[in-house]
Amino acid sequence: MVSVGVFYLRRMRPLVKYFLPIFFLCCQGKPENQPHHIYTSIASDSALYYYNLGWKQIMDDGNYGPAEVSYRKVLKHDPDFLIGKSVLGRLTLDLEERLKIFKEVEEGKDKVTGDERLVLDVYHALVEFTNAREQKSSNAASLRERVFKLAENNLRAIVHKYPKEVYMKAEYIEFLHAVHGPEIALDSLIILTSPAQKENPFLLGYSASMNAEVGNFELALQQAKRLQEVIGDSAIPKSYAVLADVYFQMDSLELAKINADRANMLDPRNLDASRLKSKIDALLKE
């Protein structure tokens, strides 16, 4: 959740790259009765509806503000759904609220078990990291390293067991990118996603950004423009944020600014667009 996590985590690459072992090739040919949802603790259908809506708003649309509203509705319908509470913790800009959410999830997390616990542990750790970073804690850097490794390991298990959970795949790809760089993340994206999932707005846009990062500008622009076609709605900021990122990496600052400004106007809470807009404005002033 960039995702909210990874909504906050961008372009962090190690000094030494290495290739991850691929334990499973892809989700093709798997049984039709393969599990889809991992959430067993949730009691309300309305809560699950707003939870899924929130992910669409974050990942597919780039609308962080409306997503926060959705996650507040999740907790209104099911205040004990701790994963939903942790996602709200990743979204809110209010430090005091985030600290309160962390405390509440910490007190109740042992009631969550199995695969759902793997996801909860990742989201809960991300809230802890965000709090540490905002409070300028001396252990923020070491905590980030631990959280990233936890996320990589837990989400790898989830995406292979639940191949239909496209947003879990999206976050997994984000962490691979943050830890290992774009080449490995692109490789896993190609291997792990079905043809339909490759057209998912987030994955399509993230692939465009990573292709730009490795210098595949023609392909990156093709994917960014394909994203506009897939979204098909000029009021959704996602495609503008992606185009801004691609043009920025191509050193086309004027085109990057046009798209970053548009994305920021549509949703000022879109962290990718607002941070990129600040970088572009600073460079243009120079």
Side-chain angles (χ1 to χ4, degrees), residues 193-204 226-227 230-231:
T193 55
S194 68
Q197 288 173 340
K198 287 179 174 65
E199 291 274 283
N200 169 267
F202 176 85
L203 289 172
L204 186 57
R226 173 59 183 159
L227 176 63
V230 169
I231 291 177

Side-chain angles (χ1 to χ4, degrees), residues 204-219:
L204 186 57
Y206 204 63
S207 181
S209 292
M210 290 191 294
N211 272 306
E213 190 175 348
V214 298
N216 293 334
F217 297 128
E218 184 176 354
L219 176 57

